[in-house]
Amino acid sequence: MTRIAVIGGGPGGLYASILLKKADPAREVRVFERNAVDDTFGFGVVFSQETLDNLAAADAESFSRIERLWRRWSAMDVTINDVTERSDGHAFAALARKELLAVLAERASELGVELDHRTSAPPVPELQREYDLVIASDGINSGTRETLATEFGTTTVLRPFPYAWFGTDRPVECFTFVFVDTPYGRFWAHIYPYNDTHSTFLVETDPETWRRAGLDDFAASPRHPGQSDERSMRFCEEIFADYLDGHRLVGNNSGWLTFRDVSNQRWVTGNVVLIGDAAHTAHFSIGSGTKQALEDAIALADAVAEGHGIPDALERYETERRPIAASLRRSAMTSLEWFESIDRYAHLPPQQFVFQLLTRSQRITYDNLRLRDAGYAQRVDDWFNTDQLERGNVAEAGTPPMFYPFRLRGMHLKNRIVVSPMAQYSAVDGMPTDWHLVHLGSRAVGGAGLVLTEMTCVSPEGRITPGCPGIWNDEQAATWRGIVDFVHENTTAKIGLQIGHAGAKAATKVGWEGNDVPLEEGAWPIVAASPRPYRPDSQVPHELTRAEIAEIVDQHVVSARYADGAGFDMVELHFAHGYLVSGFLSPLSNRRSDEYGGSLENRSRLAREIVSAVRAAWPDDKPLSARISATDWVDGGITGDDAVQVSRWLAELGVDIIDVSTGQTSVDAAPAYGRLYQTPYSDQIRQETGIPTMTVGAVSSIDDVNTILVAGRADLCLLARPHLIDPYWTMNAALDVQWDDDSVPPQYLSGLTARRRAQVAR
């Protein structure tokens, strides 16, 4: 007989006991819970439709009982600046946490689970000896996890924003966000009903506002166990008085907390397994704590049911469940960071603020909102059209966001799609070839508003690889002129030249022979801010002198003049990805002690000198862009705040748009890869500086682009890999959204007709 101990009688622990006992009644399943069965902390718990479906499939009996207690709704209200916007179609359900626990405890008892309430679990080593499986579902403050912290590889980070859980007797229709401005700063409430008369009311603010309001003094006052912070509760009643409309807040051990971000390298050690908040936390702004605990329980029970023994089951559980939990965790962290950066959105019109809020975690998108609530989506489109008209980007009502025009100085783009710079390694001695003509020309024909070349080097020594193009002599410029002329004469796209110097990443093999692998033969001497190799096996660069720095600045000017003569519409300066200027910007690679090293201002000096010199040589009616790495993804490296300041300095000197990338500056980087993982940095720079931005990195769909543009996270979207496999990505996108693009070359019109016929046939 298998013996199973469950530490913690919360929703996850009880549900795990139900499923495991139900699957095999012969099992001994025992739950240890230090509180009484009718004790509970908190108010309501909320679930999405996906979670409800999972619960129904896992145990229909408990689901049927819980279902009778649900308070269901589908709308979401957001109130800010006295404007309330409703988005429908979200499908939530909630109930009182106390009622959920009662149903689960009743069901577990019926199945024969031993429920030991008011009983602390025995020491973990004792449980490990006496039971075949020990499930630690003892929550965010898990004693089991703390006991075995080394084995689990536990990391706990306290986030800075204070929040407090309350309830209210005000009837609430649906999930609601209310933002209020006070003399101390902004407060906001996350509110959702859990029955017809009561709702959860969570208040949050930033640390500075919290202290200015004197709430730190309230929080420091001693309270008896279980007692709420009455003074804070009364304060919150006052600031949310208009919304509460005479109703009260109620407490349940309520006081100020900060979110604990818990993660574990491993969820299993021996026969002990973590589930729920003991294993991983996700911010309350996406309502995920109880959801994750229940779904962990389902996954664990399914793994045990496979019947290959406890060790195999625990390995299977973690292998299958961890990626799902990690995805939700990424979304939750993105949502948390949005709220922690809320001041940067204070200036937005209410319509855009609400859209930003709804799409903050990237789990809800422009298309998704249209499917949920066509009326809300139409209001968003109407607002976007009005906003763009006021900015001079004129388009017909009903134009998809990605097909709105955009203007930078004298350059007018027909849409918001940019072919990102992509290294082709197909030049010969710095000369572009027919490959570049076809590569760039075909993508211009394919409908993008702007096509950018790969980094085109300002000197032979500045090349990344022997296959990289340059623009340091007349012959190269003349060849580029032919490519530019093709684009201008045969398409309505604009074309920009990205120029730069590879610095410490120069003299490497072409990409398909290995990333940043140093040349074994034919290498040339390389230079950088400091004599620090990029990789352990890289060449050690020469530290540039002041005179050599001045020469490189001049090389950028020469290349910009050649670019103008070749007819390019825009020049982009490559200050990212660990190349020369990026190497100066990052404290990881710049260890200089002169005026080019040390402070951020000094480290940005080379970038600022290049911008000043190039802007003076580049025509006033042509825009200038700069690509930066907005973070090094390494502790002690460039941060988003640094990128904001650098962007301000560059814009003051004449940069018109910032191309926001990240990383590739250190072999120690640990990027937080995921959907649109670099876009938050573009959003930060655009919101905090007002400078137009381009976003790049994992942007791949029409929906991605439209969501980014309407939210105001960028002005242009760069797509790289999608354009490698589909040069006509934008043309096909127009067909997919049934948008008539009158810029399609006449040679291809019959192809459009064929695609339309195929769509109708389907």
Side-chain angles (χ1 to χ4, degrees):
M1 178 181 67
T2 302
R3 304 186 72 215
I4 300 172
V6 181
I7 306 172
L14 288 173
Y15 206 59
S17 73
I18 290 168
L19 299 180
L20 290 165
K21 187 69 172 177
K22 174 186 170 185
D24 184 355
R27 289 174 177 146
E28 178 188 332
V29 182
R30 187 172 184 181
V31 177
F32 298 93
E33 170 53 51
R34 63 184 181 180
N35 294 309
V37 67
D38 55 351
D39 287 344
T40 188
F41 301 103
F43 298 93
V45 291
V46 61
F47 302 110
S48 67
Q49 186 60 52
E50 177 187 32
T51 303
L52 300 183
D53 293 342
N54 291 336
L55 296 177
D59 183 45
E61 179 57 36
S62 61
F63 180 78
S64 68
R65 300 179 193 180
I66 295 169
E67 189 177 29
R68 292 193 289 270
L69 302 171
W70 291 134
R71 169 70 157 78
R72 289 180 175 270
W73 71 90
S74 63
M76 188 180 297
D77 285 351
V78 182
T79 298
I80 182 169
N81 298 339
D82 298 323
V83 175
T84 298
E85 183 65 78
R86 171 166 289 191
S87 167
D88 214 329
H90 298 281
F92 291 108
L95 77 163
R97 189 174 191 273
K98 189 171 184 176
E99 293 179 333
L100 174 63
L101 290 173
V103 168
L104 295 180
E106 179 184 58
R107 174 65 171 149
S109 181
E110 289 172 358
L111 290 169
V113 174
E114 297 179 51
L115 299 178
D116 289 347
H117 284 91
R118 296 187 183 275
T119 305
S120 296
V124 173
E126 180 181 329
L127 292 175
Q128 287 180 284
R129 289 192 303 270
E130 295 185 2
Y131 289 85
D132 301 291
L133 172 61
V134 179
I135 301 172
S137 60
D138 44 348
I140 194 168
N141 298 312
S142 170
T144 313
R145 186 190 63 230
E146 294 304 312
T147 299
L148 300 171
T150 301
E151 289 83 350
F152 288 123
T154 303
T155 300
T156 301
V157 178
L158 290 178
R159 304 299 296 201
F161 275 42
Y163 69 93
W165 290 97
F166 302 113
T168 180
D169 58 2
R170 181 197 190 281
V172 176
E173 287 186 46
C174 61
F175 206 116
T176 302
F177 291 100
V178 178
F179 297 84
V180 296
D181 292 320
T182 74
Y184 315 106
R186 175 167 286 181
F187 289 79
W188 53 96
H190 311 241
I191 310 163
Y192 57 87
Y194 57 86
N195 59 38
D196 290 338
T197 57
H198 290 84
S199 304
T200 296
F201 199 103
L202 186 152
V203 178
E204 187 178 14
T205 189
D206 65 86
E208 292 75 21
T209 297
W210 185 70
R211 283 189 286 269
R212 282 193 296 267
L215 295 170
D216 54 340
D217 291 337
F218 293 177
S221 299
R223 287 187 286 141
H224 296 295
Q227 182 182 16
S228 295
D229 180 348
E230 294 289 336
R231 291 191 296 172
S232 289
M233 193 156 58
R234 300 289 83 83
F235 174 88
C236 291
E237 280 183 346
E238 290 177 12
I239 62 174
F240 289 100
D242 287 347
Y243 177 80
L244 289 170
D245 193 27
H247 292 270
R248 303 298 301 272
L249 295 180
V250 295
N252 182 351
N253 195 34
S254 301
W256 294 102
L257 306 167
T258 57
F259 180 70
R260 296 182 66 191
D261 176 31
V262 176
S263 61
N264 291 276
Q265 294 177 3
R266 295 164 294 281
W267 296 351
V268 174
T269 179
N271 63 343
V272 181
V273 59
L274 302 175
I275 69 172
D277 282 347
H280 46 72
T281 56
H283 193 244
F284 52 78
S285 60
I286 63 170
S288 59
T290 304
K291 162 194 167 68
Q292 288 220 91
L294 295 173
E295 292 181 346
D296 283 356
I298 294 170
L300 177 60
D302 287 346
V304 172
E306 294 291 329
H308 299 295
I310 296 300
D312 178 79
L314 297 185
E315 180 181 359
R316 183 187 301 273
Y317 158 69
E318 182 163 0
T319 299
E320 295 181 358
R321 179 64 184 158
R322 182 178 280 275
I324 299 170
S327 176
L328 184 62
R329 174 180 166 80
R330 283 193 300 271
S331 295
M333 187 57 63
T334 302
S335 177
L336 175 153
E337 290 170 348
W338 189 91
F339 280 103
E340 289 185 350
S341 306
I342 201 164
D343 282 351
R344 75 173 59 135
Y345 305 110
H347 68 285
L348 293 179
Q351 298 88 340
Q352 192 169 45
F353 181 93
V354 172
F355 188 84
Q356 268 268 2
L357 171 66
L358 293 176
T359 61
R360 68 193 182 281
S361 71
Q362 301 179 5
R363 297 174 80 85
I364 296 177
T365 65
Y366 177 88
D367 280 354
N368 186 260
L369 287 168
R370 182 171 294 282
L371 287 172
R372 293 171 186 240
D373 186 346
Y376 170 73
Q378 186 60 56
R379 294 195 300 276
V380 169
D381 284 344
D382 291 343
W383 168 81
F384 187 75
N385 179 262
T386 300
D387 178 73
Q388 292 302 307
L389 288 175
E390 292 173 354
R391 297 172 185 269
N393 301 316
V394 179
E396 297 177 1
T399 299
M402 66 177 287
F403 289 107
Y404 270 76
F406 188 70
R407 180 177 61 195
L408 285 171
R409 295 194 184 230
M411 183 179 74
H412 294 254
L413 303 180
K414 63 181 179 179
N415 60 49
R416 304 301 182 92
I417 302 301
V418 182
V419 177
S420 190
M422 291 176 280
Q424 299 297 294
Y425 309 111
S426 298
V428 178
D429 295 327
M431 283 287 294
T433 64
D434 287 347
W435 181 268
H436 295 88
L437 171 63
V438 174
H439 170 69
L440 296 167
S442 61
R443 282 147 188 86
V445 170
L450 175 65
V451 177
L452 291 175
T453 71
E454 64 199 276
M455 187 173 88
T456 303
C457 305
V458 298
S459 67
E461 303 79 27
R463 290 175 297 158
I464 309 167
T465 76
C468 290
I471 189 164
W472 62 77
N473 62 40
D474 293 342
E475 188 179 7
Q476 292 165 342
T479 304
W480 280 118
R481 177 85 216 191
I483 295 171
V484 172
D485 286 347
F486 175 86
V487 171
H488 287 161
E489 292 169 8
N490 295 281
T491 81
T492 54
K494 304 298 182 183
I495 182 167
L497 181 73
Q498 186 187 75
I499 61 174
H501 188 296
K505 297 174 81 171
T508 59
K509 295 181 179 181
V510 297
W512 47 80
E513 294 178 357
N515 286 331
D516 306 314
V517 176
L519 287 170
E520 296 167 359
E521 296 181 0
W524 53 88
I526 66 175
V527 299
S530 300
R532 297 175 62 83
Y534 180 70
R535 295 174 18 152
D537 60 343
S538 295
Q539 193 182 153
V540 177
H542 161 71
E543 180 174 305
L544 287 166
T545 66
R546 291 177 178 83
E548 290 165 339
I549 288 172
E551 181 181 0
I552 288 173
V553 173
D554 289 341
Q555 289 170 348
H556 281 77
V557 172
V558 169
S559 293
R561 286 177 174 148
Y562 274 129
D564 182 39
F568 281 100
D569 302 294
M570 184 178 85
V571 157
E572 176 166 284
L573 303 169
H574 201 332
F575 293 168
H577 297 171
Y579 299 126
L580 182 69
V581 178
S582 175
F584 271 79
L585 287 168
S586 174
L588 303 177
S589 48
N590 185 342
R591 300 303 176 88
R592 300 174 73 101
S593 58
D594 62 5
E595 67 269 34
Y596 290 92
S599 68
L600 180 63
E601 184 175 12
N602 281 356
R603 298 197 313 272
S604 69
R605 190 177 304 278
L606 175 57
R608 291 182 286 116
E609 288 178 351
I610 291 173
V611 169
S612 295
V614 169
R615 184 72 265 179
W618 186 241
D620 285 343
D621 65 333
K622 290 186 177 183
L624 184 63
S625 171
R627 170 170 279 196
I628 64 171
S629 286
T631 177
D632 288 328
W633 298 112
V634 178
D635 288 343
I638 285 284
T639 67
D641 290 341
D642 293 335
V644 167
Q645 182 58 64
V646 169
S647 298
R648 285 196 180 102
W649 286 331
L650 300 184
E652 289 168 0
L653 296 170
V655 166
D656 300 289
I657 191 166
I658 303 294
D659 180 354
V660 186
S661 188
T662 66
Q664 301 180 54
T665 58
S666 170
V667 294
D668 297 323
Y673 290 121
R675 189 162 176 261
L676 307 180
Y677 71 105
Q678 297 182 147
T679 297
Y681 293 96
S682 169
D683 189 22
Q684 180 181 3
I685 291 170
R686 188 178 186 275
Q687 302 302 340
E688 294 187 13
T689 69
I691 302 165
T693 62
M694 298 189 275
T695 187
V696 63
V699 182
S700 59
S701 71
I702 300 168
D703 194 21
D704 287 343
V705 174
N706 288 335
T707 304
I708 289 166
L709 295 173
V710 174
R713 297 183 176 115
D715 298 277
L716 299 173
C717 292
L718 279 68
L719 283 77
R721 290 179 177 87
H723 275 120
L724 286 178
I725 59 170
D726 183 4
Y728 308 106
W729 189 92
T730 309
M731 191 183 298
N732 283 316
L735 288 167
D736 290 340
V737 300
Q738 299 181 345
W739 177 253
D740 288 329
D741 182 357
D742 58 10
S743 66
V744 174
Q747 298 94 323
Y748 284 14
L749 289 174
S750 61
L752 300 185
T753 304
R755 267 287 307 270
R756 288 195 181 100
R757 287 172 180 162
Q759 287 174 331
V760 171
R762 287 199 295 270

